[in-house]
Amino acid sequence: MSIPVNTTAQIWVPARRAADVTARGARLLRMADGCAVFAVGSGTHHFLTRGRPRG
C-alpha cells in the first residue's frame, strides 16, 4: 500500500487481535469492528496477517 507524500492514513486490517498483524513503520491505534487499525505516514507499507479474521 502506498501513501502519497505529505499525507497520513488509517489502515484497517481484518484481524482477531493486534498480535496477528505484522506492520513495520505503522503505529497501532486500536482494535475496532474486527480490525486492527494502524496509523501510517507517507511511503509504501506492507501488512502481514496470520490466523483467520472473523466474519
Side-chain angles (χ1 to χ4, degrees):
M1 169 165 298
S2 293
I3 307 302
V5 174
N6 295 324
T7 61
T8 59
Q10 283 189 7
I11 309 298
W12 290 58
V13 181
R16 289 180 190 227
R17 55 194 182 118
D20 290 339
V21 183
T22 302
R24 232 183 289 181
R27 182 172 50 98
L28 178 67
L29 297 175
R30 65 186 176 279
M31 290 295 296
D33 298 323
C35 293
V37 183
F38 292 90
V40 297
S42 58
T44 301
H45 302 276
H46 300 273
F47 296 84
L48 178 65
T49 60
R50 65 176 170 239
R52 192 174 203 172
R54 286 185 284 187

